[in-house]
Amino acid sequence: MDYLISLAVDPAAWIALAALIAMEVVLGIDNLIFISILTNKLPEVERSKARRIGIGAALILRLALLGTVAVIVRLTQPVFSVLGNEFSWRDIILIAGGLFLVWKATKEIHHKVDPNPDTEAFTPSVAASGAVAVIAQILVLDIVFSIDSIITAVGMTEHLPIMVIAVVVAVASMLLAADPLGNFIEANPTIVMLALGFLLMIGTTLIADGFGVHVPKGYVYAAMAFSALIEGLNMMSRRRRKKAKG
């Protein structure tokens, strides 16, 4: 109890908490885009429930991972080397997660541009696999982002309660934003391709990070924000042209 009280009156703890919440919320954008793309393939009546279950399960998973933070920190230790390049378990997880994300985004892009998607064996419908498969995929990617964010969080603060609060606040924000974002993407088909492009870029940066080539997150999110701004202008232009014709 004394430990928690000392944290509550420590200005440095509040600064660390604010920084961690901001980081977790920003990283949550990646998850939300992925969740929206997947759940929008489900029947409409199942989408909201699948989002809540997936995000809720992700919260439990992140809290469980925080309980093993000492083990996760050791994942940065090299386990083998190839041609002089050392790889840790963190690197392996990032590369595997990045490959999964690139594969998933590429498959969905193929599904969008294929005029006869139902006849293409390369792209089976996510809807056919059901909500359980969607939730499982959400959790797989969340493991990758969670491990990376926890390792980053440990470098920002050593206090576990601060990490737990930041995760809970970030996941609560995801729950609030999941349905509006999913509905927005569903109502604007051009946004879907843009979102898939974001996932492709994020997956590529994860792979690069796993191979030791660090791409600053600020560059990635700046590119995403710029692309979203341009698409927003395109949407405004289309709406005004429709009004003018009407």
Side-chain angles (χ1 to χ4, degrees):
M1 181 61 70
D2 292 339
Y3 169 67
L4 294 178
I5 293 175
S6 65
L7 278 182
V9 298
D10 184 2
W14 285 98
I15 294 173
L17 176 62
L20 274 179
I21 290 175
M23 183 192 74
E24 292 287 347
V25 169
V26 170
L27 291 178
I29 294 173
D30 305 339
N31 271 349
L32 274 182
I33 293 174
F34 184 72
I35 290 169
S36 298
I37 294 293
L38 285 184
T39 54
N40 281 353
K41 304 279 288 188
L42 293 170
E44 189 171 354
V45 294
E46 297 182 13
R47 294 174 188 172
S48 183
K49 180 180 178 181
R51 289 169 191 150
R52 292 193 184 96
I53 293 175
I55 295 174
L59 172 60
I60 296 173
L61 174 64
R62 290 191 181 197
L63 293 177
L65 288 174
L66 280 174
T68 61
V69 65
V71 176
I72 291 176
V73 170
R74 289 200 294 270
L75 294 178
T76 58
Q77 299 298 320
V79 291
F80 67 90
S81 63
V82 178
L83 300 176
N85 295 318
E86 295 183 334
F87 292 89
S88 64
W89 281 113
R90 172 186 176 273
D91 297 329
I92 296 170
I93 292 170
L94 288 180
I95 292 170
L99 288 172
F100 171 74
L101 202 52
V102 168
W103 169 75
K104 192 65 185 176
T106 302
K107 191 174 77 167
E108 291 299 324
I109 290 173
H110 184 275
H111 178 73
K112 291 295 180 184
V113 300
D114 186 358
N116 300 298
D118 293 335
T119 62
E120 180 57 61
F122 175 68
T123 312
S125 172
V126 174
S129 63
V132 174
V134 168
I135 293 170
Q137 291 179 71
I138 292 171
L139 290 178
V140 166
L141 194 64
D142 195 73
I143 290 174
V144 178
F145 286 119
S146 295
I147 290 176
D148 194 35
S149 66
I150 288 172
I151 291 173
T152 303
V154 170
M156 298 173 67
T157 180
E158 59 182 10
H159 302 297
L160 186 60
I162 292 178
M163 299 181 200
V164 171
I165 294 172
V167 166
V168 171
V169 172
V171 173
S173 301
M174 289 174 63
L175 279 172
L176 292 175
D179 283 344
L181 179 62
N183 295 336
F184 178 75
I185 289 177
E186 177 70 12
N188 297 275
T190 57
I191 294 292
V192 176
M193 194 62 71
L194 182 63
L196 289 172
F198 289 163
L199 293 180
L200 199 59
M201 180 172 62
I202 293 165
T204 303
T205 59
L206 287 176
I207 295 171
D209 201 357
F211 279 99
V213 181
H214 180 65
V215 180
K217 291 292 193 300
Y219 293 166
V220 176
Y221 291 113
M224 291 171 62
F226 180 76
S227 300
L229 175 61
I230 297 301
E231 181 58 28
L233 293 174
N234 284 331
M235 291 171 61
M236 290 175 59
S237 177
R238 286 194 294 268
R239 288 197 185 108
R240 289 181 178 180
R241 284 200 300 269
K242 285 182 181 179
K243 288 182 179 180
K245 290 180 180 179

